Amino acid sequence: MTDRDRIAARAEIVFVVQATTVSQLRAAFPSADDELASAGLQQCRRSSMRSGRHDVLSAPEPTCVQTVAALGWPPPRVVSDLRGAEPGEWQGRELASLSPDQFQHWRAGVAPPGGESVADLLLRVRNFVHGVGGGRYVAVVPQAVARVTVLVALGLPASKIWEMDADPLSTVAVARRAGGETRLRLVNL
């Protein structure tokens, strides 16, 4: 499939926010050994979400893959472009441990030392949405990815990421129409 064919193909991607993680309960940046909290497993058990006829994708974080399994969905295709923003040296660090200046700079879009900025994450997710082949997908992703998906669909700047919340197991969908136009869709699974 050529780039032109890929853009011309219609696609729908339903982004599902991963279930609650241990790092989220600690109000910390994700760590390499992060896992679903017991509350996250409970959320999945109580959920009535079904993957339906969508191809199942997952960000590479273990918590996203664990969410797919806990929902009882088929094993996902792991897509590295769906990973959350790289926290760099702040991996596993609690937000409360940041100085006021560090926190303000991070919220203003500056990447953590050795990490990735929201603008970089936005560009990566935009490239994924515009480059994925035609079809229907459901993708379990970290909160930040779901939030920037809204920005991608609406053409908003990275600075708007803090103006929305993304609860565990919430969904947001992007429909890419023939010709590459994207539309935000609110859906149930």
Side-chain angles (χ1 to χ4, degrees), residues 57-99:
L57 309 176
S58 174
E61 287 86 348
T63 51
C64 293
V65 176
Q66 290 168 1
T67 298
V68 171
L71 287 169
W73 293 356
R77 178 167 52 101
V78 175
V79 179
S80 65
D81 284 343
L82 295 177
R83 70 190 180 282
E86 174 59 47
E89 294 175 18
W90 292 356
Q91 182 176 340
R93 189 170 170 186
E94 292 184 10
L95 292 174
S97 72
L98 299 178
S99 73

